[in-house]
Amino acid sequence: MRYFIIGFALVVLCVVGVAGLRGGFTRRPPIELFNDMVRQPKLRPQVPNNFLPDNRSSQPHPPGTIARGVRYQDIPANTGRIPGTTNFLVSLPVPFTHQLLARGQERFQINCSPCHGAQGDGNGIAKRISAMAVVANLHDKRIVTMPDGEIFNTISQGKNLMGSYAAQVAIDDRWAIIAYVRALQLSRLATLDEVPQEMRAALKK
Ligand code: HEC
């Protein structure tokens, strides 16, 4: 046992003599047996790094980034429901603007018109070339009088034969689409009195 301790001490001395102590300085390249954890190819936060153009390892958020949790908050704009109840919102939770309507038109034509048709009457291309015969007519009185939140729910969750469009249509865009659907509905329900005077004659023809 004594010889073992002496031998072991000698081995340790030799190893330390050749390899040096951890953290010691040397001009020669250090011997690293298992070095994979010592130097990791990662960016450490808050230190300069010339990999990225502005030499910062911590990059600012890209414009338009929102915290993940915001989309899951229990607020009307996310759920389409009056907080604390299961009742649907009657009208849009976002301001009705020209941009919203334009965005809604574009999104409707991309995501909804293949089935519901460009006019929302349920005569999209899918009805003509496939057996999808029961696409809802968005001009039905039932849908005209439906709360906006319920249409939001249909886009988000789907309804009967219609699948969910949550993956394709962002939340803000769903409200934009609803604004546009309302405009489409109004286009069929408006009376002559609501048309500007100078355009009435053309409509009467
Ligand atoms: C793949 C075809 C398809 C697409 C795309 C589609 N729908 Fe539908 N939608 C349907 C069908 C089919 C129904 C009828 C569902 C039923 O009652 O069985 C329907 C029903 C509806 C209804 C009535 C729901 C109810 O309560 O009866 C609304 C509102 C609606 N869609 C809105 C939209 C909007 C807005 C979009 C675009 C984001 C859209 N749909 C995209 C096929 C589609």
Side-chain angles (χ1 to χ4, degrees), residues 79-111:
T79 60
R81 292 175 196 264
I82 298 166
T85 71
T86 51
N87 297 347
F88 290 115
L89 282 189
V90 176
S91 54
L92 296 186
V94 291
F96 193 109
T97 61
H98 244 290
Q99 282 122 303
L100 188 78
L101 207 54
R103 176 78 183 167
Q105 179 176 31
E106 184 203 37
R107 294 292 114 182
F108 180 89
Q109 284 168 354
I110 293 170
N111 294 291

Short mmCIF file of all heavy atoms in Angstrom, two decimals, residues 79-111:
data_model
loop_
_atom_site.label_atom_id
_atom_site.label_comp_id
_atom_site.label_asym_id
_atom_site.label_seq_id
_atom_site.Cartn_x
_atom_site.Cartn_y
_atom_site.Cartn_z
N THR A 79 -60.01 35.79 -28.36
CA THR A 79 -60.98 34.71 -28.17
C THR A 79 -62.28 34.95 -28.92
O THR A 79 -63.02 34.01 -29.18
CB THR A 79 -61.34 34.58 -26.68
OG1 THR A 79 -61.91 35.83 -26.25
CG2 THR A 79 -60.12 34.27 -25.83
N GLY A 80 -62.57 36.21 -29.26
CA GLY A 80 -63.84 36.51 -29.90
C GLY A 80 -65.00 36.47 -28.92
O GLY A 80 -66.16 36.51 -29.32
N ARG A 81 -64.69 36.38 -27.63
CA ARG A 81 -65.77 36.27 -26.63
C ARG A 81 -65.68 37.40 -25.60
O ARG A 81 -64.61 37.94 -25.35
CB ARG A 81 -65.69 34.93 -25.90
CG ARG A 81 -66.02 33.77 -26.81
CD ARG A 81 -65.80 32.45 -26.10
NE ARG A 81 -65.74 31.35 -27.05
CZ ARG A 81 -66.77 30.59 -27.37
NH1 ARG A 81 -67.95 30.79 -26.83
NH2 ARG A 81 -66.62 29.60 -28.24
N ILE A 82 -66.82 37.71 -25.01
CA ILE A 82 -66.86 38.72 -23.96
C ILE A 82 -66.18 38.11 -22.73
O ILE A 82 -66.52 36.99 -22.34
CB ILE A 82 -68.32 39.13 -23.67
CG1 ILE A 82 -68.92 39.74 -24.93
CG2 ILE A 82 -68.39 40.08 -22.49
CD1 ILE A 82 -70.42 39.88 -24.90
N PRO A 83 -65.19 38.82 -22.14
CA PRO A 83 -64.42 38.22 -21.05
C PRO A 83 -65.31 37.72 -19.92
O PRO A 83 -66.29 38.36 -19.56
CB PRO A 83 -63.55 39.37 -20.55
CG PRO A 83 -63.52 40.36 -21.66
CD PRO A 83 -64.79 40.20 -22.42
N GLY A 84 -64.97 36.56 -19.40
CA GLY A 84 -65.70 36.01 -18.27
C GLY A 84 -67.01 35.32 -18.65
O GLY A 84 -67.72 34.81 -17.80
N THR A 85 -67.35 35.34 -19.94
CA THR A 85 -68.57 34.66 -20.38
C THR A 85 -68.23 33.79 -21.58
O THR A 85 -67.10 33.81 -22.05
CB THR A 85 -69.63 35.68 -20.86
OG1 THR A 85 -69.18 36.22 -22.11
CG2 THR A 85 -69.83 36.80 -19.87
N THR A 86 -69.23 33.04 -22.06
CA THR A 86 -68.99 32.32 -23.31
C THR A 86 -69.72 33.02 -24.45
O THR A 86 -69.83 32.48 -25.55
CB THR A 86 -69.49 30.87 -23.20
OG1 THR A 86 -70.83 30.90 -22.72
CG2 THR A 86 -68.63 30.06 -22.27
N ASN A 87 -70.21 34.23 -24.21
CA ASN A 87 -70.94 34.95 -25.25
C ASN A 87 -69.98 35.53 -26.28
O ASN A 87 -68.90 36.02 -25.94
CB ASN A 87 -71.73 36.11 -24.63
CG ASN A 87 -72.77 35.59 -23.65
OD1 ASN A 87 -73.05 34.40 -23.63
ND2 ASN A 87 -73.32 36.48 -22.85
N PHE A 88 -70.42 35.51 -27.55
CA PHE A 88 -69.57 36.05 -28.61
C PHE A 88 -69.62 37.56 -28.63
O PHE A 88 -70.66 38.17 -28.36
CB PHE A 88 -70.02 35.50 -29.96
CG PHE A 88 -69.73 34.04 -30.13
CD1 PHE A 88 -70.76 33.12 -30.25
CD2 PHE A 88 -68.42 33.59 -30.16
CE1 PHE A 88 -70.49 31.77 -30.40
CE2 PHE A 88 -68.14 32.24 -30.31
CZ PHE A 88 -69.17 31.33 -30.42
N LEU A 89 -68.49 38.16 -29.01
CA LEU A 89 -68.45 39.61 -29.21
C LEU A 89 -69.40 39.97 -30.34
O LEU A 89 -69.42 39.27 -31.36
CB LEU A 89 -67.06 40.03 -29.69
CG LEU A 89 -65.92 40.15 -28.71
CD1 LEU A 89 -64.76 40.79 -29.44
CD2 LEU A 89 -66.31 40.98 -27.53
N VAL A 90 -70.12 41.04 -30.19
CA VAL A 90 -71.06 41.42 -31.23
C VAL A 90 -70.33 42.08 -32.39
O VAL A 90 -70.62 41.85 -33.56
CB VAL A 90 -72.14 42.34 -30.66
CG1 VAL A 90 -73.07 42.82 -31.77
CG2 VAL A 90 -72.93 41.58 -29.60
N SER A 91 -69.35 42.93 -32.07
CA SER A 91 -68.65 43.62 -33.16
C SER A 91 -67.14 43.56 -32.97
O SER A 91 -66.65 43.06 -31.97
CB SER A 91 -69.12 45.07 -33.24
OG SER A 91 -68.96 45.66 -31.98
N LEU A 92 -66.44 44.05 -33.97
CA LEU A 92 -64.97 43.93 -33.99
C LEU A 92 -64.33 44.54 -32.74
O LEU A 92 -64.72 45.63 -32.34
CB LEU A 92 -64.40 44.68 -35.20
CG LEU A 92 -64.76 44.21 -36.59
CD1 LEU A 92 -63.95 45.01 -37.61
CD2 LEU A 92 -64.47 42.74 -36.77
N PRO A 93 -63.32 43.89 -32.17
CA PRO A 93 -62.59 44.46 -31.04
C PRO A 93 -61.46 45.38 -31.51
O PRO A 93 -60.69 45.86 -30.70
CB PRO A 93 -62.02 43.24 -30.33
CG PRO A 93 -61.82 42.25 -31.42
CD PRO A 93 -62.86 42.52 -32.46
N VAL A 94 -61.33 45.57 -32.82
CA VAL A 94 -60.25 46.42 -33.35
C VAL A 94 -60.89 47.54 -34.15
O VAL A 94 -62.02 47.40 -34.63
CB VAL A 94 -59.30 45.60 -34.26
CG1 VAL A 94 -58.52 44.60 -33.44
CG2 VAL A 94 -60.06 44.90 -35.37
N PRO A 95 -60.22 48.69 -34.30
CA PRO A 95 -60.80 49.79 -35.04
C PRO A 95 -61.03 49.41 -36.51
O PRO A 95 -60.20 48.74 -37.12
CB PRO A 95 -59.75 50.91 -34.95
CG PRO A 95 -58.75 50.46 -33.95
CD PRO A 95 -58.88 48.99 -33.78
N PHE A 96 -62.18 49.81 -37.02
CA PHE A 96 -62.54 49.52 -38.41
C PHE A 96 -61.93 50.59 -39.30
O PHE A 96 -62.35 51.74 -39.26
CB PHE A 96 -64.06 49.54 -38.52
CG PHE A 96 -64.59 48.95 -39.79
CD1 PHE A 96 -65.24 47.73 -39.78
CD2 PHE A 96 -64.43 49.62 -40.99
CE1 PHE A 96 -65.74 47.19 -40.96
CE2 PHE A 96 -64.93 49.08 -42.17
CZ PHE A 96 -65.58 47.85 -42.14
N THR A 97 -60.92 50.25 -40.05
CA THR A 97 -60.24 51.25 -40.88
C THR A 97 -60.19 50.78 -42.33
O THR A 97 -60.50 49.63 -42.63
CB THR A 97 -58.78 51.45 -40.42
OG1 THR A 97 -58.10 50.18 -40.56
CG2 THR A 97 -58.69 51.89 -38.98
N HIS A 98 -59.77 51.71 -43.18
CA HIS A 98 -59.59 51.39 -44.60
C HIS A 98 -58.55 50.30 -44.79
O HIS A 98 -58.74 49.37 -45.57
CB HIS A 98 -59.14 52.64 -45.35
CG HIS A 98 -60.16 53.07 -46.36
ND1 HIS A 98 -60.41 52.35 -47.49
CD2 HIS A 98 -61.01 54.11 -46.37
CE1 HIS A 98 -61.38 52.93 -48.17
NE2 HIS A 98 -61.77 54.01 -47.51
N GLN A 99 -57.45 50.43 -44.03
CA GLN A 99 -56.38 49.42 -44.16
C GLN A 99 -56.89 48.04 -43.75
O GLN A 99 -56.57 47.05 -44.39
CB GLN A 99 -55.18 49.74 -43.27
CG GLN A 99 -54.30 50.81 -43.81
CD GLN A 99 -54.22 51.93 -42.78
OE1 GLN A 99 -55.27 52.46 -42.40
NE2 GLN A 99 -53.03 52.26 -42.33
N LEU A 100 -57.69 48.02 -42.67
CA LEU A 100 -58.21 46.74 -42.19
C LEU A 100 -59.04 46.08 -43.29
O LEU A 100 -58.91 44.90 -43.58
CB LEU A 100 -59.06 46.96 -40.94
CG LEU A 100 -59.51 45.70 -40.22
CD1 LEU A 100 -58.37 45.14 -39.38
CD2 LEU A 100 -60.72 45.95 -39.34
N LEU A 101 -59.88 46.89 -43.92
CA LEU A 101 -60.76 46.38 -44.96
C LEU A 101 -59.95 45.87 -46.16
O LEU A 101 -60.23 44.80 -46.70
CB LEU A 101 -61.70 47.50 -45.39
CG LEU A 101 -63.04 47.09 -45.96
CD1 LEU A 101 -63.76 46.17 -44.99
CD2 LEU A 101 -63.87 48.34 -46.22
N ALA A 102 -58.91 46.63 -46.53
CA ALA A 102 -58.09 46.24 -47.68
C ALA A 102 -57.36 44.94 -47.38
O ALA A 102 -57.29 44.03 -48.21
CB ALA A 102 -57.09 47.35 -48.02
N ARG A 103 -56.85 44.85 -46.17
CA ARG A 103 -56.15 43.63 -45.75
C ARG A 103 -57.14 42.45 -45.74
O ARG A 103 -56.84 41.35 -46.19
CB ARG A 103 -55.57 43.84 -44.35
CG ARG A 103 -54.90 42.65 -43.74
CD ARG A 103 -53.54 42.42 -44.29
NE ARG A 103 -52.97 41.21 -43.71
CZ ARG A 103 -51.89 40.61 -44.18
NH1 ARG A 103 -51.26 41.11 -45.23
NH2 ARG A 103 -51.43 39.52 -43.63
N GLY A 104 -58.35 42.73 -45.24
CA GLY A 104 -59.36 41.69 -45.17
C GLY A 104 -59.74 41.20 -46.55
O GLY A 104 -59.92 40.00 -46.77
N GLN A 105 -59.85 42.12 -47.50
CA GLN A 105 -60.19 41.73 -48.87
C GLN A 105 -59.13 40.78 -49.43
O GLN A 105 -59.45 39.72 -49.97
CB GLN A 105 -60.28 42.98 -49.75
CG GLN A 105 -60.60 42.62 -51.20
CD GLN A 105 -60.80 43.85 -52.05
OE1 GLN A 105 -60.18 44.89 -51.81
NE2 GLN A 105 -61.65 43.76 -53.05
N GLU A 106 -57.88 41.18 -49.24
CA GLU A 106 -56.78 40.36 -49.75
C GLU A 106 -56.80 38.98 -49.10
O GLU A 106 -56.72 37.95 -49.78
CB GLU A 106 -55.47 41.07 -49.47
CG GLU A 106 -54.28 40.36 -50.05
CD GLU A 106 -52.99 40.74 -49.33
OE1 GLU A 106 -53.01 40.92 -48.10
OE2 GLU A 106 -51.97 40.86 -49.99
N ARG A 107 -56.92 38.97 -47.77
CA ARG A 107 -56.88 37.69 -47.04
C ARG A 107 -58.10 36.84 -47.37
O ARG A 107 -58.01 35.62 -47.45
CB ARG A 107 -56.81 37.93 -45.53
CG ARG A 107 -55.54 38.57 -45.07
CD ARG A 107 -54.36 37.65 -45.23
NE ARG A 107 -53.44 38.17 -46.22
CZ ARG A 107 -52.34 37.56 -46.60
NH1 ARG A 107 -51.99 36.41 -46.09
NH2 ARG A 107 -51.57 38.10 -47.54
N PHE A 108 -59.26 37.46 -47.54
CA PHE A 108 -60.47 36.72 -47.89
C PHE A 108 -60.28 36.05 -49.24
O PHE A 108 -60.59 34.87 -49.43
CB PHE A 108 -61.68 37.65 -47.92
CG PHE A 108 -62.97 36.94 -48.26
CD1 PHE A 108 -63.76 36.39 -47.26
CD2 PHE A 108 -63.38 36.81 -49.58
CE1 PHE A 108 -64.93 35.72 -47.57
CE2 PHE A 108 -64.56 36.13 -49.90
CZ PHE A 108 -65.33 35.59 -48.89
N GLN A 109 -59.74 36.83 -50.18
CA GLN A 109 -59.61 36.27 -51.53
C GLN A 109 -58.62 35.11 -51.55
O GLN A 109 -58.77 34.16 -52.31
CB GLN A 109 -59.22 37.38 -52.51
CG GLN A 109 -60.46 38.22 -52.81
CD GLN A 109 -60.18 39.51 -53.52
OE1 GLN A 109 -59.02 39.87 -53.72
NE2 GLN A 109 -61.21 40.23 -53.90
N ILE A 110 -57.60 35.18 -50.69
CA ILE A 110 -56.63 34.08 -50.64
C ILE A 110 -57.21 32.87 -49.90
O ILE A 110 -57.15 31.75 -50.40
CB ILE A 110 -55.34 34.55 -49.94
CG1 ILE A 110 -54.62 35.59 -50.80
CG2 ILE A 110 -54.41 33.35 -49.67
CD1 ILE A 110 -53.46 36.28 -50.11
N ASN A 111 -57.78 33.11 -48.72
CA ASN A 111 -58.10 31.99 -47.83
C ASN A 111 -59.54 31.50 -47.91
O ASN A 111 -59.80 30.35 -47.61
CB ASN A 111 -57.81 32.37 -46.38
CG ASN A 111 -56.33 32.58 -46.13
OD1 ASN A 111 -55.56 31.63 -46.17
ND2 ASN A 111 -55.95 33.81 -45.92
#
